[in-house]
Amino acid sequence: MKKFKITVLKGDGNGPEIVDKTIKVLNAAGNKFDFTVEYDFRLMGGCAIDAARVPLPQETVDSCKGADSVLLGAVGGEKWDTLPGHLRPEAGLLGIRAALGLYANLRPARIFEALKAASPIKAEIIGDSLDIMVIRELTGGIYFGERGRFVKNGEQAAFDTEMYTVPEIKRIAKIGFEMAQKRGGRLCSVDKANVLESSRLWRETVIEMAKDYPDVELSHMYVDNCAMQLVRRPTQFDVIVTSNIFGDILSDEASMLSGSICMLASASLAEGSFGLYEPIHGSAPDIAGKGIANPLATILSVAMMLKYSFNMPQAAQAIENAVNEAMKTARTPDIYEEGFKKAGTAEMGDIVARMILN
């Protein structure tokens, strides 16, 4: 029997309730596919600020480094919005990415068959199916560049610096090429090379790397055009690889093609098999504790964990299949339609867990 150790960061808002049901689903998968999980629960985000006065305690970092992977709920909320930037819950996210070397963010944007009618995109544009993988560089670029404020001509001014090195570009592009090899063989590198020098280096580096991947069809697209094409003709994309800030924006746009942001999982990967897995939605403090939050994105995140960190693709597929089947009969309020059973957080998680075991 395989054994895994996971550090669990339930986070804030709806984080604890969706993580609790996700653990139940993961345990069900363990029973079905003969593995066990040891959980170490730690604090990050607003709950860590309340308890330890910092968004990312050192003991949390230490626990994550000693684990096989990390499961994160969601962090943040209005309660902490007035704190200085380095003490806000979101600082914990940036800090843990840097501390754990999580440089590649994988965000699949797919439409489950049962949820196809919920997509805001017309059926004739979506076609038979839609499955896009957005790969975002996570530890470089403008979010980690030099920044500051100063006085210019007697007025306040501020700056943030976008910078990439060739090694940073190569390692994220490598993920993109290898992912394309495992999927449809097409990689679109997104930049702003007509304006930004960092994007010109990005494009030059990716073009040079393409020589080592003759089986991958490489294309390039400016970020503004990509944003338009995701809505106009999303099926043209297979794998997209891009910078931190562009990936942040485009992956959120792509996520809405699925019909609900509460359906989208993500993986943040380091070298090797280590990763942090989380839904891309926020903590939604307005519905926290009401038992109506959609747990499916977090459940799908552990499916990614099983696939990318634990090398258990059959268990991962079983969770994805169970989610799709569950939505054929029950829906949480955010994806509810007439004719379906309206289910809360706990019930939806229970349904998925039962379908895995059946």
Side-chain angles (χ1 to χ4, degrees):
M1 178 177 286
K2 293 183 178 181
K3 297 181 180 180
F4 305 110
K5 182 177 180 180
I6 299 176
T7 295
V8 180
L9 312 173
K10 292 187 178 182
D12 311 313
N14 64 15
E17 53 195 305
I18 59 177
V19 167
D20 284 344
K21 301 317 296 184
T22 297
I23 289 174
K24 182 170 184 176
V25 169
L26 186 57
N27 289 338
N31 290 335
K32 181 74 174 284
F33 293 93
D34 201 30
F35 68 87
T36 61
V37 179
E38 175 187 344
Y39 301 100
D40 186 20
F41 297 90
R42 297 289 173 169
L43 300 178
M44 192 186 83
C47 59
I49 294 171
D50 290 346
R53 298 185 179 181
V54 291
L56 181 60
Q58 184 58 45
E59 52 264 34
T60 296
V61 175
D62 295 340
S63 173
C64 293
K65 288 183 176 180
D68 297 310
S69 69
V70 180
L71 173 62
L72 171 63
V75 299
E78 295 179 0
K79 179 180 178 181
W80 304 281
D81 281 352
T82 59
L83 294 175
H86 69 288
L87 290 178
R88 290 181 57 164
E90 294 78 11
L93 285 174
L94 296 179
I96 203 166
R97 289 169 184 168
L100 302 179
L102 304 172
Y103 69 91
N105 182 233
L106 277 56
R107 290 191 177 186
R110 60 180 293 192
I111 295 180
F112 283 86
E113 178 188 354
L115 205 60
K116 189 173 180 180
S119 174
I121 305 299
K122 294 179 180 179
E124 57 265 32
I125 294 177
I126 295 172
D128 294 333
S129 64
L130 182 67
D131 186 356
I132 303 170
M133 178 65 78
V134 181
I135 301 176
R136 166 190 172 191
E137 198 288 322
L138 205 57
T139 58
I142 198 167
Y143 292 167
F144 290 88
E146 292 186 16
R147 66 190 61 190
R149 294 192 179 194
F150 63 102
V151 176
K152 182 176 182 179
N153 299 327
E155 299 289 346
Q156 282 285 321
F159 68 95
D160 297 275
T161 305
E162 169 84 351
M163 185 182 75
Y164 275 107
T165 65
V166 168
E168 286 177 315
I169 300 168
K170 281 186 172 181
R171 68 178 183 175
I172 193 66
K174 182 175 183 289
I175 297 289
F177 280 111
E178 292 178 351
M179 184 64 67
Q181 286 178 319
K182 298 173 184 177
R183 289 169 49 97
R186 294 176 289 121
L187 176 65
C188 180
S189 177
V190 176
D191 57 41
K192 192 62 177 172
N194 58 334
V195 176
L196 302 177
E197 193 62 34
S198 57
S199 282
R200 294 185 185 111
L201 179 64
W202 180 287
R203 183 172 293 208
E204 292 166 8
T205 303
V206 173
I207 289 173
E208 183 64 26
M209 288 187 67
K211 298 174 183 178
D212 297 327
Y213 300 91
D215 55 336
V216 175
E217 178 187 336
L218 174 66
S219 61
H220 303 272
M221 194 173 288
Y222 296 145
V223 63
D224 44 351
N225 185 33
C226 183
M228 179 181 68
Q229 295 296 332
L230 278 170
V231 177
R232 178 177 176 270
R233 191 163 64 89
T235 53
Q236 70 185 282
F237 297 105
D238 177 22
V239 180
I240 294 173
V241 64
T242 190
S243 66
N244 204 338
I245 188 170
F246 295 160
D248 191 1
I249 297 166
L250 292 176
S251 59
D252 278 0
E253 180 190 10
S255 74
M256 287 311 299
L257 301 176
S258 70
S260 173
I261 197 170
C262 294
M263 290 298 302
L264 276 298
S266 77
S268 298
L269 305 180
E271 297 288 352
S273 62
F274 184 84
L276 181 150
Y277 299 84
E278 61 179 314
I280 73 168
H281 61 70
S283 61
D286 57 318
I287 63 170
K290 296 182 179 180
I292 60 174
N294 187 341
L296 295 180
T298 315
I299 290 171
L300 290 169
S301 294
V302 296
M304 294 185 74
M305 180 189 294
L306 288 166
K307 183 176 183 180
Y308 295 112
S309 285
F310 298 162
N311 192 29
M312 300 193 72
Q314 289 183 320
Q317 189 62 55
I319 292 178
E320 292 181 2
N321 291 344
V323 167
N324 191 55
E325 289 302 311
M327 289 190 296
K328 291 180 180 180
T329 58
R331 302 286 179 88
T332 47
D334 60 302
I335 54 174
Y336 178 74
E337 294 180 54
E338 286 282 338
F340 292 87
K341 179 180 182 180
K342 185 176 286 188
T345 308
E347 186 175 11
M348 198 70 191
D350 290 343
I351 294 172
V352 175
R354 284 199 304 270
M355 289 187 168
I356 291 172
L357 293 172
N358 288 342

